[in-house]
Amino acid sequence: MKTITLIKKVSFFSLLLVTLAAFVTGCSEDKKTEPSKPAPQAQGHTQHSFDHAHGSEVSDLEKHKFEHDFADQCVEREIKNSKNKDVDRERFTKPCLCIATYLMKDLTAKESELFLVEHKNTQSLRIKFESAAYHCLQEKVQPKSPMIFGKH
């Protein structure tokens, strides 16, 4: 009998606490808040909530230096374990330059500085590299698969 009374009391207090918690979290202050005004937009550029600041502009000279340094690093990384370095160097030069050019278009000043001065690859640069590699390597015409019974 004592157990049933104890269960009723615990249930009552639990229900009371849940109701009180719902009431307290539902209350808010009556202060009026003004929505923040968006920053002025550049012509042709729409601001999204997920947009980030790109930092200061990167000069054309820095972009050009980045493009060639990144392409050279890419080629060297690809031919590192190659047996025929001269042939492979020619084979990887065009895709690596394409990737570097693709990366250069959306290069931030911080990424450029870290790559050119400190010789570091940032995580954002790695992500952009994967996207650029996918874009540039899709340009290659894939060999046709074998045709079986004259149908493809």
Side-chain angles (χ1 to χ4, degrees), residues 5-108:
T5 307
L6 182 64
I7 292 174
K8 285 182 181 179
K9 286 182 181 180
V10 170
S11 299
F12 175 74
F13 284 116
S14 298
L15 182 62
L16 182 65
L17 286 174
V18 169
T19 306
L20 184 61
F23 178 73
V24 169
T25 57
C27 294
S28 64
E29 295 182 19
D30 291 335
K31 292 181 181 178
K32 293 182 180 179
T33 57
E34 294 181 23
S36 61
K37 295 179 182 177
Q41 303 291 324
Q43 272 189 336
H45 183 332
T46 57
Q47 181 79 17
H48 297 287
S49 62
F50 55 84
D51 244 354
H52 61 279
H54 291 280
S56 60
E57 289 294 319
V58 182
S59 70
D60 288 338
L61 183 61
E62 286 179 345
K63 283 185 176 183
H64 187 71
K65 182 168 176 36
F66 171 85
E67 180 181 20
H68 286 285
D69 286 357
F70 192 89
D72 291 343
Q73 184 188 73
C74 175
V75 170
E76 292 304 317
R77 185 175 52 241
E78 293 296 328
I79 65 169
K80 183 178 178 182
N81 296 325
S82 174
K83 302 288 184 209
N84 194 351
K85 294 189 187 290
D86 294 332
V87 172
D88 287 342
R89 185 179 308 277
E90 289 178 26
R91 189 177 86 199
F92 288 120
T93 299
K94 185 177 177 185
C96 284
L97 191 58
C98 174
I99 291 169
T101 304
Y102 193 85
L103 287 175
M104 182 185 69
K105 293 176 184 174
D106 194 29
L107 184 67
T108 64

